[in-house]
């Protein structure tokens, strides 16, 4: 089974592709997304082999989204516009299907994808990602783990603090915690996640960080786990 994902801001287009995917026993539809930010969350959590993506979407179009991805899945562009075909193939898209999409044309694109996906070399363990993507304005920003000092939760938003700047983005703490490597980051309090090698000192119930003046509180239920990280 090939895990696939649909991205299209038009409900009818998504429903049509969903019905086509359902008729292909070799395809497993993991999610059908209205915009790229929703799709990004899926890609960060699950293995996706094949992506059916529209191009003309608000905020971030399909071409920009594929360019932003590290180790992007195989892509079939499904779009109303034939004008971006060259750009699509420059991104190594497997096919470029112009709407309205008939089922025979969909089958042709999928069969091409099956041939490519099933002939790929045996999977090699992928290196751990060294960054995460977050929404900043109308674009996606890549934030290196090495740049993050700490993350503060603010209800449905988080504040990512870097050495000389900060990023505020719409994301829950539990969601971002899942995207961070547990060997490098630790939650020290309900509202704070800290990069371990940014910690300069632990003083009482506070953490001091390199290069930053502020001290962060340590929650009672998190202190033992924090001290254990340093063999204390």
């Amino acid at each position: 089974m090939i895990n696939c994902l649909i991205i299209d801001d038009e409900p009818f287009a998504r429903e049509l592709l969903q019905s086509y995917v359902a008729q292909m026993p070799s395809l497993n539809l993991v999610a059908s997304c209205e915009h790229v930010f929703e799709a990004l969350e899926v890609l960060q959590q699950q293995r996706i082999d094949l992506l059916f993506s529209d191009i003309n979407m608000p905020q971030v179009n399909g071409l920009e989204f594929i360019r932003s991805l590290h180790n992007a899945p195989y892509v079939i562009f499904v779009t109303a516009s034939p004008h971006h075909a060259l750009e699509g193939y420059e991104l190594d898209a497997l096919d470029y299907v112009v709407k309205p999409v008939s089922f025979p044309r969909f089958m042709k694109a999928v069969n091409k994808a099956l041939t490519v996906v099933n002939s790929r070399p045996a999977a090699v363990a992928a290196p751990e990602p060294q960054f995460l993507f977050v929404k900043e304005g109308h674009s996606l920003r890549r934030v290196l783990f090495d740049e993050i000092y700490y993350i503060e939760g603010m209800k449905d938003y988080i504040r990512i603090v870097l050495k000389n700047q900060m990023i505020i983005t719409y994301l829950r703490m539990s969601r971002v915690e899942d995207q961070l490597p547990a060997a490098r980051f630790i939650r020290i309090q309900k509202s704070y996640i800290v990069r371990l090698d940014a910690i300069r000192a632990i003083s009482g119930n506070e953490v001091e960080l390199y290069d930053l003046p502020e001290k962060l509180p340590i929650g009672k239920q998190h202190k033992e786990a924090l001290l254990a990280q340093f063999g204390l």
Side-chain angles (χ1 to χ4, degrees), residues 123-200:
V124 177
E128 286 290 323
Q130 300 301 312
F131 56 85
L132 56 83
F133 277 104
V134 297
K135 182 179 178 182
E136 186 176 41
H138 297 308
S139 63
L140 295 174
R141 174 169 175 177
R142 185 170 74 165
V143 182
L144 299 176
F145 294 147
D146 285 340
E147 296 178 338
I148 300 172
Y149 280 75
Y150 69 90
I151 298 172
E152 180 183 3
M154 303 179 296
K155 293 187 177 180
D156 293 334
Y157 289 81
I158 60 169
R159 184 168 70 105
I160 303 175
V161 178
L162 314 178
K163 183 175 181 179
N164 296 312
Q165 60 179 308
M166 71 177 69
I167 302 167
I168 296 177
T169 187
Y170 182 78
L171 191 63
R172 291 182 178 273
M173 282 286 277
S174 58
R175 182 78 70 177
V176 73
E177 187 173 21
D178 290 340
Q179 298 176 33
L180 297 171
R184 299 198 61 193
F185 291 85
I186 188 169
R187 189 187 283 252
I188 62 167
Q189 200 251 12
K190 180 181 178 181
S191 299
Y192 291 99
I193 296 172
V194 177
R195 195 182 87 232
L196 283 165
D197 58 5
I199 295 175
R200 184 174 64 84

Side-chain angles (χ1 to χ4, degrees), residues 45-106:
Q45 295 175 27
Q46 301 190 54
R47 190 198 85 242
I48 300 297
D49 304 299
L50 181 61
L51 178 63
F52 297 98
S53 177
D54 190 13
I55 289 181
N56 295 318
M57 295 182 285
Q59 298 183 319
V60 179
N61 70 41
L63 295 168
E64 293 169 337
F65 180 58
I66 299 304
R67 289 192 189 99
S68 76
L69 295 177
H70 177 68
N71 293 330
Y74 292 109
V75 181
I76 294 174
F77 285 113
V78 183
T79 176
S81 172
H83 306 301
H84 299 290
L86 179 59
E87 289 179 86
Y89 286 118
E90 286 175 347
L91 291 173
D92 296 325
L94 296 182
D95 210 338
Y96 191 98
V97 182
V98 179
K99 299 175 182 177
V101 184
S102 67
F103 186 63
R105 181 65 181 90
F106 178 82

